[in-house]
Amino acid sequence: MGVVATLKLSEDINNKIAWQRFLPSGPIAFLPLTKNLSSLVWSTTIEHAKALLQLSEEQFVDALNGAICKSYEHNGIIDQATKSFDSFLRLMNCSSDAIRQFPPKILGIEECSRAAFPLGFGHATSYIGKGVVLVGDSAHRIHPLAGQGVNLGFGDVTCLNKVLGDAVYSGSKIDNLSYLKEYETERQRHNIPTMLAVEGLHRLYNSDLTPLVLLRSLGLQATHALNPLKVII
Ligand SMILES: Cc1cc2nc3c(=O)[nH]c(=O)nc-3n(C[C@H](O)[C@H](O)[C@H](O)COP(=O)(O)OP(=O)(O)OC[C@H]3O[C@@H](n4cnc5c(N)ncnc54)[C@H](O)[C@@H]3O)c2cc1C
């Protein structure tokens, strides 16, 4: 489930950073709204989501601040590997000297903003039919961890708009399946790899197997240190 709420930050800040922490139960994310409001998406188990909805506001805020700050036992092998990789990156002059920042502290939540939604992964094998076109989440649903869901839908709309325009300009009917097929092919070529990448990330971060934790730790370190890679991603 994804538990959502509008969060009040403890002070006005230059609130332009999206924070995401991968907890054993799933990622928790704060997405900036204004200088003192952020939007929460906390992915967790069904039981935990239900329990979070039952908490008083004060308990919920404590749970949130705890989830974002709690320290977990470190794996010695991973620590050693990431330290060595950091030394290597410094040697190669690739290390990023960005100042470490910390997530904002949460003071409270906006009244009635707390809710939970089921999360899922799903993809329609066909996006089109006679007089029917699927766009957005009716065609594809992904885990919200990378904030890509709505972008996929916007892409669908842009593509469909172009394809329908082409159909009308060429004197065809807008439900002409050969035009709609163009929409389906173009969007599936884009949506399926994106969905698989997001699902792959979700699975990678859902595991505590040492080789996978090592892989994601070094991957993030490399992405952080290598600016061109960061820009591509
Ligand atoms: C917890 C959570 C967090 C998310 N966070 C992000 C994020 O940070 N960034 C991001 O890009 N995406 C995020 N997403 C995904 C994003 O919300 C969806 O991809 C997006 O809302 C899909 O838009 P849509 O218009 O296709 O569908 P929806 O937003 O689901 O809209 C469909 C609408 O149709 C209505 N409807 C359904 N059935 C009928 C019916 N029979 N008759 C009439 N109306 C009907 C529904 O009530 C709804 O209003 C998140 C999703 C969840 C669940």
Side-chain angles (χ1 to χ4, degrees):
M1 299 284 279
V3 175
V4 299
T6 304
L7 309 177
K8 295 180 197 160
L9 309 184
S10 61
E11 54 192 320
D12 286 358
I13 50 167
N14 188 15
N15 192 19
K16 289 194 173 152
I17 298 175
W19 291 94
Q20 183 155 244
R21 187 176 195 204
F22 292 88
L23 301 171
S25 52
I28 180 169
F30 301 164
L31 308 161
L33 292 175
T34 67
K35 56 188 177 169
N36 60 0
L37 291 178
S38 282
S39 177
L40 165 76
V41 184
W42 189 347
S43 309
T44 187
T45 59
I46 296 172
E47 295 72 32
H48 189 215
K50 282 183 183 160
L52 287 172
L53 293 185
Q54 297 302 320
L55 297 178
S56 68
E57 179 183 331
E58 205 176 314
Q59 289 168 325
F60 183 67
V61 169
D62 284 348
L64 269 174
N65 285 317
I68 213 78
C69 299
K70 182 180 170 187
S71 41
Y72 290 86
E73 205 183 318
H74 281 218
N75 177 323
I77 300 172
I78 312 278
D79 272 358
Q80 193 52 49
T82 50
K83 267 188 206 144
S84 308
F85 191 47
D86 189 52
S87 310
F88 169 74
L89 289 170
R90 280 177 195 281
L91 209 66
M92 305 298 289
N93 241 349
C94 294
S95 182
S96 165
D97 283 327
I99 301 164
R100 183 157 183 215
Q101 298 185 47
F102 293 93
K105 211 160 176 325
I106 310 306
L107 187 68
I109 55 171
E110 293 256 288
E111 214 177 310
C112 302
S113 66
R114 203 177 353 161
F117 296 90
L119 303 176
F121 178 89
H123 185 256
T125 44
S126 174
Y127 289 7
I128 58 169
K130 193 75 190 143
V132 179
V133 178
L134 300 182
V135 292
D137 274 24
S138 61
H140 39 70
R141 281 173 76 202
I142 51 172
H143 194 282
L145 76 83
Q148 288 302 310
V150 110
N151 286 333
L152 293 184
F154 288 158
D156 293 348
V157 172
T158 307
C159 176
L160 183 61
N161 186 38
K162 184 188 165 296
V163 166
L164 293 182
D166 290 348
V168 170
Y169 279 124
S170 64
S172 174
K173 286 190 170 171
I174 60 166
D175 64 353
N176 183 329
L177 279 181
S178 60
Y179 281 95
L180 295 183
K181 191 83 201 149
E182 238 178 82
Y183 158 76
E184 182 181 71
T185 307
E186 187 177 325
R187 289 316 293 161
Q188 289 196 343
R189 275 194 192 141
H190 176 85
N191 293 344
I192 294 171
T194 309
M195 293 176 73
L196 292 178
V198 171
E199 188 60 18
L201 265 182
H202 175 50
R203 283 166 194 249
L204 188 61
Y205 276 94
N206 240 4
S207 168
D208 54 5
L209 280 177
T210 302
L212 289 184
V213 178
L214 186 61
L215 181 71
R216 72 192 187 208
S217 304
L218 299 182
L220 263 191
Q221 233 178 322
T223 312
H224 184 53
L226 304 170
N227 234 357
L229 186 60
K230 207 189 269 184
V231 171
I232 294 169
I233 290 173

